Amino acid sequence: KTGWIDTGLGFYIMKYEAKIQGNNNGNQTYSSSFVPESRAAGTPWVNINQTQAIAECQSLGSGYHLITNAEWTSLARHITNQASNWSNNEVGNGVLSRGYSASTAYASDGFTNTAAAPTTGTSSDVFNTGINSVGNTGTFDLKRTHNLANSKIIWDLAGNAWEWNSDTCTQGSGSGNWYNAGGWIEWNDTNLDDYERPTAGSSPLYISTQNAGRYIGCTNGNGLLRSASWSHGLYSGLFTLNWNGSPSYTDISVSFRCVR
């Protein structure tokens, strides 16, 4: 399909956050008559819950599905292993880009976004340059694209809108269970050693000082949100993980992405 990329990791993925077919304004109430597509123009499809996002991806045909935690994590780890995705052009040196995520409350960005940004697919909107603004140059932290080893480029995998994964959580400790932090914590918190970090964190370990994101959750049965949204500052990142939404949760800042 147009607008999809081969990750080189055994699956194809939407290059952009899902958009509503034929509609450049994704900011509207969900309808089952909408169709998801990956295209440059317009703002992401938001106000959709996890259950609906799962159904929409499946509606694209056999093999299509909402991205899983395993797929997201493998892609995020792949991206962190590419030197071009680091501010000093060396793996682990400097910071990763946390995307369209400017905040004065959670970072010293000097401005705070209040809405999702559209994409055009050109170099003109790669950086978050001002409140609800994009441009062709700017701070590396607020760069919206990441590079894959096969020269493919993916948009807004960090920042812009939260993205549903297909997983739900069981609270507890040990294999298969997720820690309920009661608030945001860093990925180097020892409570995440047994299962959470090996399953969903970076490898090697990176934290929010490197723009890798943070962790929050889990309440039994809640769905998985990743990436963080346009105003989350240092809470945004490739590995940001949030178990605070039930499968029926919707919000103006929540979108999704399909794979096959």
Side-chain angles (χ1 to χ4, degrees), residues 17-84:
E17 291 167 319
K19 311 284 175 59
I20 299 172
Q21 188 176 47
N23 189 325
N24 284 346
N25 179 14
N27 181 18
Q28 56 184 285
T29 303
Y30 170 79
S31 168
S32 59
S33 64
F34 296 156
V35 177
E37 64 179 357
S38 178
R39 58 176 163 80
T43 54
W45 181 348
V46 294
N47 281 323
I48 185 168
N49 67 40
Q50 186 191 42
T51 303
Q52 294 161 344
I54 289 171
E56 285 301 323
C57 290
Q58 291 174 341
S59 75
L60 294 173
S62 177
Y64 289 90
H65 58 276
L66 182 63
I67 191 169
T68 66
N69 170 65
E71 290 165 335
W72 183 286
T73 302
S74 67
L75 179 57
R77 289 176 176 175
H78 173 85
I79 287 170
T80 62
N81 285 326
Q82 311 310 312
S84 60

Side-chain angles (χ1 to χ4, degrees), residues 1-2 4-7 9-14 57 60-67 71 257-260:
K1 288 181 181 291
T2 302
W4 290 66
I5 57 174
D6 182 357
T7 63
L9 303 172
F11 60 92
Y12 285 75
I13 190 170
M14 286 180 161
C57 290
L60 294 173
S62 177
Y64 289 90
H65 58 276
L66 182 63
I67 191 169
E71 290 165 335
R257 196 182 305 244
C258 306
V259 303
R260 67 170 173 87

